[in-house]
Every structure is written in C-alpha cells, then in structure tokens.
Amino acid sequence: MRKLKTHILTMLSLLFLIGISYAQDADAPQAYWVHEDVVKPSKVQDYESICGELIKNMKQYNTETMSMIVTNTDDNRYLWVSPLTNMADLDKPVFAGLAEKMGKEAMDNLFNRMDECYDTEQDYVLYLSKKLSYMPDGISQTTEGEDYRKFHYFHITPSNRKIVSQKMEEISKLFQSKGSKFNYRVYKSGFGVRGEFYMVAVSAKNAVDYAEKVAANNTLLGDEWIKLYGELNSNLLKYESVSGRMRPDMAYSSEK
C-alpha cells in the first residue's frame, strides 16, 4: 500500500488528459479509487492484523483526510475504496500526516511487513452508474445489516459496450416496473483496468439471504426477465462472479 502515491500520480496524469469532471452533474457517475491487494492464502491472518494496526493508528492520530470502505472477496482480494470528488483528490499525499505522527521508521516497518503478504497490488478507477443501478430508496454502498456481497462481472468489448449498456438500462426499468425488492449497484471500469467490464454489486445478510432474494425476484419478473437477461448474456465477452463481505472493522473516515 505504500506505493499508493506513485499509482495515484500516474492515474492523475491519465485523468487530466481526458478532462474528467462530473462535479456539475448530480446524475453523473460517481468516481471511486480502488486499491486492491491480492493476499496470499497463507498470509491472510498476518495481513488483517497489520491492517488493524494501520487503521488503529489512523484513527488515533486522525491525520489523513480521507474516507474509505473495505471489502474482501472469497479469493482473498482486499479492495480499499475511496470516493473521488475531483481530480485534485488523486494528488493528495497519502499517509504523509500519519508518517509524521507515528514516525517514519514505525510506518515503514508496518508497510514492510504488509508487503510480505502479497505479490500483487493494483490501483484503478470505477464509476458508480446511478442510471443503471437499481436502488429506489437511495443508493448506498453500506446497507445496514447486509455485509454479504455478491459481485457480478460482465466483461464487454468496445464493439458491444453500447448494446450491453442498453440492455442493462432495460433491466433496471423492468425491475422498476415490477416493483422489485432486489437492489443492486452498477459500476463501470475505468483507468487502471485491463479491458472493460460492468460490475454489479448486490448486498445481503448472508449467502442464504442472497439466494432467497434471487429466487423471489426471478418469480416476480418471470419470462420477461429470462428473455432480457439472455439477451444481455449473448452480448458479453465473459461473465464472472465472486462472493465477499464488507469489512467495517477496516473502514476509515477522518473526523471533520
């Protein structure tokens, strides 16, 4: 994670080149910076312990102006997700205040131990699409009492991105017309990701609750859903899914 500053500066340059700015449009996609650590199975316990030390120090000193939520997947990926208000957010020195308060040597020691827990880490940008998501009562990434997550990855190509987006919009409208209780959020891949995908995140209490929600929704939507979902799948490059859970114990938000 200590490589974050280098990654952020690189991403800032890329974003500047295309002039991304959504601040004036309330319906525009919300950008999120994601830092992902792919942790070795044998190092999961060590990694979480070290992350606990990091969060403890961040909360104790309250030096970093940031807000982040964390989720970990069944394949041992840990995703640290922070909202981006504008491009300037990417240029902020990460952990500079923490190094000053807890001491550079102590912080270096912490990150050195953390680096031993994974061989792969990456940073990328995702955009939350309010238009394609379906949460009638308001979009929230942290639904109370529902820390279980199912992430669906719909991989696409430049040639079919338009039709896939069209089908996903039709799905959202179908859910709305039927008064579905099955809520989901749609994210579009951005810089830092090889290829393109839509990621659909679904919250539930646990795996059983998720399965029950799926069954009830399938019954409600009936044949219309089967047809429309089939049309979506026929235009995909690849589909993947993974389960995970939110980690409120690893989340952080600086005090105002």
Side-chain angles (χ1 to χ4, degrees):
M1 283 183 73
R2 61 178 163 183
K3 297 178 182 178
L4 295 184
K5 183 176 180 181
T6 301
H7 292 317
I8 290 173
L9 290 175
T10 301
M11 290 163 64
L12 174 64
S13 299
L14 290 170
L15 287 170
F16 179 77
L17 289 175
I18 63 170
I20 293 177
S21 178
Y22 292 122
Q24 302 301 319
D25 187 353
D27 295 323
Q30 168 65 54
Y32 289 92
W33 161 49
V34 182
H35 176 81
E36 181 177 317
D37 291 328
V38 185
V39 179
K40 302 173 186 178
S42 62
K43 291 289 186 177
V44 168
Q45 187 172 349
D46 292 340
Y47 176 82
E48 293 201 1
S49 176
I50 296 166
C51 287
E53 293 179 43
L54 174 64
I55 299 302
K56 180 180 178 181
N57 278 284
M58 292 176 70
K59 290 181 177 179
Q60 177 180 344
Y61 297 115
N62 191 40
T63 55
E64 313 307 324
T65 304
M66 67 170 69
S67 176
M68 62 184 180
I69 57 175
V70 182
T71 184
N72 73 280
T73 60
D74 288 348
D75 54 357
N76 297 322
R77 289 184 291 123
Y78 287 75
L79 284 62
W80 303 70
V81 183
S82 298
L84 295 174
T85 303
N86 51 49
M87 291 186 295
D89 287 348
L90 292 169
D91 200 25
K92 294 175 181 177
V94 181
F95 302 132
L98 184 61
E100 180 181 345
K101 292 294 184 179
M102 70 177 289
K104 185 178 183 303
E105 184 176 346
M107 193 175 79
D108 283 347
N109 174 267
L110 187 152
F111 282 122
N112 283 336
R113 288 184 288 126
M114 187 181 293
D115 286 346
E116 295 176 359
C117 297
Y118 47 78
D119 293 326
T120 302
E121 61 175 346
Q122 56 185 334
D123 292 89
Y124 49 91
V125 174
L126 292 180
Y127 298 95
L128 172 61
S129 172
K130 301 173 185 177
K131 180 179 180 181
L132 299 180
S133 298
Y134 179 75
M135 292 192 77
D137 296 329
I139 296 178
S140 172
Q141 293 179 296
T142 54
T143 311
E144 186 175 354
E146 295 189 329
D147 284 341
Y148 177 85
R149 290 293 182 274
K150 193 74 171 183
F151 300 111
H152 302 270
Y153 291 87
F154 299 92
H155 295 269
I156 61 176
T157 65
S159 63
N160 66 15
R161 64 164 71 104
K162 184 176 181 180
I163 184 65
V164 171
S165 176
Q166 197 173 67
K167 291 303 174 183
M168 294 189 75
E169 187 172 354
E170 290 179 26
I171 288 173
S172 177
K173 290 179 179 178
L174 174 62
F175 276 51
Q176 184 175 1
S177 69
K178 297 288 187 177
S180 173
K181 303 299 182 182
F182 191 91
N183 287 202
Y184 62 85
R185 296 166 299 285
V186 177
Y187 299 81
K188 178 68 169 59
S189 60
F191 275 109
V193 175
R194 184 175 182 176
E196 290 184 55
F197 62 77
Y198 284 100
M199 188 271 279
V200 177
V202 183
S203 306
K205 296 176 182 177
N206 48 49
V208 173
D209 181 48
Y210 171 78
E212 291 175 347
K213 286 184 176 182
V214 170
N217 192 60
N218 288 346
T219 300
L220 174 68
L221 302 185
D223 292 340
E224 290 181 76
W225 164 241
I226 295 174
K227 178 178 180 295
L228 193 51
Y229 190 65
E231 292 172 353
L232 171 66
N233 278 325
S234 67
N235 286 285
L236 298 178
L237 174 65
K238 182 174 62 173
Y239 166 78
E240 298 175 301
S241 69
V242 63
S243 300
R245 60 180 176 134
M246 296 303 298
R247 297 299 302 270
D249 57 319
M250 300 172 75
Y252 174 80
S253 182
S254 55
E255 297 179 6
K256 304 299 182 183

